[in-house]
Amino acid sequence: MTSEPAIPAESGAAPDTVALAKIVARQRAEMDRLRDQAATSAVVERAKGAVMALTGCSPDAAGEELAKRAKESHRTLLEECWLTLGTLEPPLTAAPSGTHLSTTVPEVPFVLRDTADLGRLGKALVRVGTPQDLARCLLEHVSPGTEADAVMIFARLPAGGLELIGHAGIDDRLAAQWRQVPPVSGIAALEALRSREPRWLEDLGADSERHLLIGDPPDRWRSRAWVPVVTRDTAEVCIGFLRARGGPFAAHEREHLLAVSRLCAGRLRAFDARAEPAADRAVQQVFDTLPGASLLLTPLRSASGEVEDYRIVAATAEAFDALGRTGRDMVGLRLLECFPDLAGEPLWHGCLRTLATGEPYEGEPFAQQAMVAGVAELSTYTVRVARLGGALAVTWVRHDSSDLQEQRLADVQRLGNLGWANWNLLSHEAAWSSQVYAVLDRDPADGPLRITALPELALAEDVPALTRAVGELVRRGRPLSLPFRIRAADGVRHLRIVAEAVTDVQGSPVEVHGFLQDLTAQRSAELALVESEQAILTQHDDLRAERTLASRLQHALLPLPTRPLRLAGLRVEVAYLPAQSGVHVGGDWFSAIELPDGDALFVVGDVAGHGVDAVATMAQLRFTAKGMVITGSSLTGALARLNTLLLHSRDSHGTATMVLARYSPAAHRLVWAQAGHPPPLLHRAGEVRYLQRPSGMLLGASGSPAFEEAECLLEPGDRLLLYTDGLVERPPEGIDRGLERLSEAVVSHQADGPGSLRPLLAELLEGERRDDVCVLDIRVPEDEI
């Protein structure tokens, strides 16, 4: 990544200029980052493609294989990709029938050290575009480890000699002298290529007797290393590292330079692939004269014959890729190397289809920013693909303003489901857009209708109004805007026509233009909305009627006392607060009665659900529970029988929770049992605690429930609260937070007089209540013995 230095705000400098310079610097830095990211992605995709071609695995499996090998060898993924590309076999031109092709992914046995330096070199290689760039890159990134002062890269020629393809740290005059090296003895780089082993020239005196040394004078570099780039069993490129310092190369320096050469193999293969045959150069010369952006692609096939990529054979000057390369800079590269995100896109599939069938492909228009006459401009393009023999010609067609306006008009008509129409009232000629035929469900071969014939298409109910409106338009020039219906193949359509007349100097209409729009979807939605609103109103009325009935039943079955009750020496206040949201009545209830033997029975319960059914189940449970206890049933026995009643009663309403408590004034003993209900709260001497719940499950949930009783001795001044869950539940909070809130409220409200329950509930039930609340506030008088 590169960035521009920040420009200081000097005295007299315009603040806007400084701010603009900073913005430009950030944009350039971001462009560099995106360019590096795209180049890195291209290297990874090429390496994955190589593994896929050798093994036949999927792209994901190839990526996993590269990541696994990088981790095992302590390399970065980018290093592993470069090494993988460098160890591939040269491309096969043709395999004889029956020849066995190896599908083993080449392993890279070399163990790299100085991984941080090599990792930085691997990242830098993605920005290298030529062997000359590679030499400069090596001099910059290898120098800290080896103190190299110059780098030279030689490639073997077919005749056996060498060609200098890249250099850094030497002047152009010396580079020109060594541009072509004949196949003579004494050339260290040539010997390294022939033996595929490095040559370490560390003794200037001895080396000058055996080799022809590069340099003017030769002692300019007192030690040299010539490292061949070995790919499998061949070596075609040799890299020379020249040092002004004499003496031997340390072991770690030798190992580092060997690792660098292996890392460069993949990059050098890409240079080899870009060599242009004479025929390709001729094609490129033709493309140099063509306007616009075009590429000529040849397919690259895997061992199975499937197209895995394309080679760019020629490119016009206006062609550009995702990394900002243009024209000839793209020639020789793979298509996915220039456009890493292209695989799997519609254009990729279009190329495959055109290559297979010969049928041209044209993609959908898209917007892209490009340089037009040196100015960045957002333009609309269409990609076209045509087959030329065994190759593909890909062209990006930029639409001018008139094309763009026409496309926009077509988009508006398509998206709005409308079309324009013109009628000449003098010549009786008419012109319709293609969308009008679609709106009217008319075959374009039948041609347009006169405007006075439009009412013939309308339903009988709409003909009179449309006929009058069209007559007023063509005779008096009165604007027309009218909905009407037609019968089409897919049913009745709801249309709208909007038109106006153009008059002559006498004011007589001579031409009409306007549009027709299909509003069927909108009208259907409106009708559906009206029906839905009517259904909601009907349902709301039904629910209100049901609530009224349930509320009357509830008041009749569950009368509320107007003052505190006196039962078995206890003072009992009762509160019942219905829910404020919804229209249903809940199934909460209570009972507080004195039994024939002088004990007091307290019951609080809650039936699941709301409405008339819940009220009916509440009444059934309330009266049955009182009757059972009055006639001698234990609390647990009553709960068990109520559970059976809910399970086997056809008219019962689901499940219910309940707490039953029996207070004996003689022993001041409270015996209680519960069925899935919150525990009672005991307030004594300024402290509160919840009674430990005995076992007991929800009524109506199981055919074999187990219920137990618990006992509590009450003392003078005690306060006991029995309540339903509406008092403590406040979604989305958990019930534990509600129980804690109830405890805190009881401690802060210790008034003992009648009516003391009301302020407690007011604090707890702030806002809208979502559920019914039922509370029994039981107090033991201070003078109770």
Side-chain angles (χ1 to χ4, degrees):
M1 179 185 295
T2 60
S3 61
E4 296 291 331
I7 300 178
E10 300 177 358
S11 59
D16 291 344
T17 304
V18 175
L20 181 60
K22 291 181 179 179
I23 293 174
V24 172
R26 287 197 298 269
Q27 290 178 339
R28 287 179 178 173
E30 179 65 12
M31 287 294 294
D32 289 341
R33 185 188 69 80
L34 293 175
R35 186 178 294 110
D36 290 348
Q37 181 179 351
T40 301
S41 176
V43 174
V44 174
E45 291 300 322
R46 288 178 56 204
K48 287 168 61 177
V51 175
M52 291 165 58
L54 290 170
T55 65
C57 66
S58 65
D60 291 341
E64 293 175 0
E65 173 67 19
L66 290 171
K68 175 184 175 184
R69 288 169 50 185
K71 181 178 180 182
E72 292 176 350
S73 303
H74 305 289
R75 307 183 183 110
T76 66
L77 178 60
L78 193 58
E79 290 177 73
E80 186 63 37
C81 292
W82 283 125
L83 292 169
T84 298
L85 293 172
T87 54
L88 296 176
E89 294 281 5
L92 297 175
T93 56
S97 176
T99 302
H100 175 70
L101 299 179
S102 172
T103 58
T104 303
V105 179
E107 292 292 339
V108 184
F110 201 86
V111 179
L112 302 179
R113 297 182 182 175
D114 300 329
T115 56
D117 291 339
L118 293 173
R120 286 190 291 270
L121 176 59
K123 293 181 179 179
L125 287 178
V126 302
R127 295 190 292 270
V128 170
T130 64
Q132 186 66 26
D133 294 339
L134 177 60
R136 298 191 191 99
C137 178
L138 292 177
L139 184 63
E140 178 182 354
H141 289 83
V142 176
S143 295
T146 63
E147 299 180 2
D149 299 289
V151 173
M152 301 181 73
I153 303 177
F154 282 103
R156 195 203 310 255
L157 295 172
L162 298 176
E163 178 184 9
L164 182 64
I165 60 175
H167 62 85
I170 67 173
D171 54 68
D172 293 337
R173 182 182 61 82
L174 183 61
Q177 293 176 359
W178 289 87
R179 180 70 61 189
Q180 299 283 338
V181 180
V184 297
S185 60
I187 305 299
L190 196 56
E191 293 178 0
L193 289 176
R194 290 169 178 168
S195 63
R196 299 191 297 278
E197 295 290 340
R199 288 292 183 265
W200 310 100
L201 307 186
E202 301 164 321
D203 186 340
L204 182 63
D207 294 335
S208 60
E209 295 179 1
R210 295 194 300 269
H211 298 95
L212 183 60
L213 300 182
I214 298 174
D216 187 13
D219 61 356
R220 176 180 175 182
W221 295 294
R222 306 186 66 83
S223 59
R224 310 144 194 260
W226 293 98
V227 184
V229 179
V230 180
T231 303
R232 293 289 180 163
D233 296 329
T234 62
E236 300 297 330
V237 177
C238 186
I239 304 176
F241 301 92
L242 290 69
R243 303 191 307 181
R245 176 174 61 87
F249 288 84
H252 72 276
E253 293 176 335
R254 293 190 177 194
E255 181 180 3
H256 182 70
L257 293 180
L258 290 172
V260 167
S261 70
R262 297 293 298 275
L263 201 60
C264 292
R267 183 73 273 180
L268 288 165
R269 280 177 58 85
F271 300 149
D272 294 341
R274 294 179 62 176
E276 292 184 295
D280 290 348
R281 288 197 294 271
V283 173
Q284 180 58 50
Q285 291 175 358
V286 174
F287 268 63
D288 287 340
T289 65
L290 297 178
S294 298
L295 299 176
L296 183 64
L297 309 177
T298 57
L300 300 176
R301 301 183 183 273
S302 64
S304 62
E306 296 182 357
V307 176
E308 62 181 11
D309 205 342
Y310 297 88
R311 180 80 64 199
I312 300 177
V313 178
T316 60
E318 295 184 27
F320 58 93
D321 68 359
L323 302 181
R325 290 177 289 219
T326 59
R328 284 177 172 261
D329 292 338
M330 303 167 61
V331 174
L333 297 177
R334 291 175 174 239
L335 186 62
L336 291 181
E337 188 176 354
C338 297
F339 304 95
D341 298 330
L342 187 59
E345 292 295 318
L347 176 57
W348 180 268
H349 295 296
C351 289
L352 293 177
R353 186 166 55 253
T354 300
L355 188 63
T357 65
E359 180 181 350
Y361 166 80
E362 182 169 337
E364 293 292 331
F366 64 94
Q368 182 170 316
Q369 187 167 338
M371 298 299 294
V372 180
V375 179
E377 181 178 298
L378 188 65
S379 302
T380 301
Y381 290 86
T382 298
V383 182
R384 297 173 181 170
V385 183
R387 190 172 69 181
L388 296 177
L392 294 177
V394 182
T395 304
W396 282 261
V397 180
R398 187 170 69 89
H399 301 283
D400 58 23
S401 58
S402 61
D403 293 336
L404 185 59
Q405 291 293 342
E406 184 177 348
Q407 181 62 43
R408 287 175 178 172
L409 178 59
D411 290 341
V412 169
Q413 294 185 82
R414 176 177 53 83
L415 296 174
N417 204 5
L418 57 84
W420 57 264
N422 283 334
W423 290 276
N424 190 311
L425 302 181
L426 300 180
S427 64
H428 303 294
E429 294 178 348
W432 288 359
S433 69
S434 59
Q435 194 67 24
V436 173
Y437 293 98
V439 168
L440 293 175
D441 193 25
R442 181 176 175 83
D443 189 348
D446 296 336
L449 290 172
R450 293 184 180 183
I451 189 170
T452 54
L454 276 182
E456 299 174 3
L457 302 178
L459 295 185
E461 298 89 340
D462 298 337
V463 169
L466 183 58
T467 303
R468 285 194 302 270
V470 170
E472 291 292 323
L473 172 67
V474 299
R475 288 193 297 270
R476 296 182 176 84
R478 182 172 298 175
L480 167 63
S481 178
L482 187 72
F484 66 99
R485 293 167 296 170
I486 67 171
R487 189 172 301 279
D490 55 356
V492 175
R493 292 186 182 179
H494 295 264
L495 309 183
R496 179 171 67 119
I497 180 172
V498 177
E500 64 181 3
V502 178
T503 60
D504 58 14
V505 292
Q506 286 81 25
S508 300
V510 294
E511 185 178 355
V512 171
H513 56 254
F515 67 86
L516 286 96
Q517 185 176 17
D518 187 350
L519 301 176
T520 304
Q522 177 182 340
R523 183 58 178 161
S524 298
E526 292 173 352
L527 293 175
L529 180 60
V530 170
E531 293 177 359
S532 176
E533 291 176 346
Q534 292 176 347
I536 291 174
L537 291 175
T538 301
Q539 184 181 22
H540 193 68
D541 292 340
D542 294 341
L543 292 176
R544 285 188 176 277
E546 182 181 337
R547 178 181 177 86
T548 301
L549 174 60
S551 179
R552 291 176 179 175
L553 287 173
Q554 188 180 55
H555 286 299
L557 300 173
L558 193 66
L560 290 175
T562 57
R563 60 175 60 90
L565 304 175
R566 291 286 180 174
L567 302 174
L570 304 177
R571 193 187 81 212
V572 182
E573 286 193 48
V574 180
Y576 179 85
L577 301 173
Q580 293 176 318
S581 62
V583 296
H584 286 299
V585 174
D588 293 20
W589 90 93
F590 70 93
S591 286
I593 62 172
E594 192 167 297
L595 299 175
D597 60 359
D599 290 355
L601 175 66
F602 304 107
V603 185
V604 171
D606 185 2
V607 174
H610 298 81
V612 175
D613 291 340
V615 173
T617 303
M618 173 270 290
Q620 187 180 38
L621 293 178
R622 182 172 185 262
F623 292 116
T624 304
K626 289 196 299 182
M628 288 182 180
V629 177
I630 289 174
T631 56
S633 293
S634 64
L635 301 182
T636 56
L639 288 176
R641 289 179 175 85
L642 292 173
N643 182 76
T644 303
L645 178 65
L646 280 182
L647 285 175
H648 298 285
S649 177
R650 180 177 302 176
D651 299 329
S652 65
H653 189 76
T655 59
T657 67
M658 184 184 302
V659 58
L660 292 89
R662 182 168 185 160
Y663 175 70
S664 177
H668 306 287
R669 184 180 67 165
L670 181 79
V671 178
W672 67 287
Q674 62 86 30
H677 203 83
L681 176 65
L682 177 64
H683 179 217
R684 174 179 293 169
E687 297 182 354
V688 295
R689 66 181 177 89
Y690 288 98
L691 301 184
Q692 185 67 35
R693 291 201 315 170
S695 64
M697 66 188 312
L698 193 73
L699 295 179
S702 172
S704 56
F707 299 105
E708 296 180 355
E709 294 181 348
E711 183 178 312
C712 175
L713 295 178
L714 298 183
E715 300 177 1
D718 282 354
R719 183 183 188 183
L720 188 70
L721 289 181
L722 306 182
Y723 51 91
T724 57
D725 57 4
L727 184 64
V728 293
E729 286 186 344
R730 188 181 297 176
E733 293 180 353
I735 194 170
D736 291 340
R737 177 67 189 99
L739 294 174
E740 180 182 352
R741 186 167 48 248
L742 175 59
S743 300
E744 295 171 352
V746 170
V747 171
S748 62
H749 292 78
Q750 300 191 20
D752 191 25
S756 58
L757 182 58
R758 184 177 302 171
L760 173 65
L761 298 180
E763 178 179 336
L764 286 170
L765 301 175
E766 296 179 350
E768 186 180 56
R769 293 189 300 277
R770 295 189 176 186
D771 198 2
D772 296 357
V773 176
C774 183
V775 181
L776 291 183
D777 186 4
I778 305 170
R779 293 178 181 268
V780 182
E782 291 286 352
D783 55 357
E784 179 72 14
I785 300 177

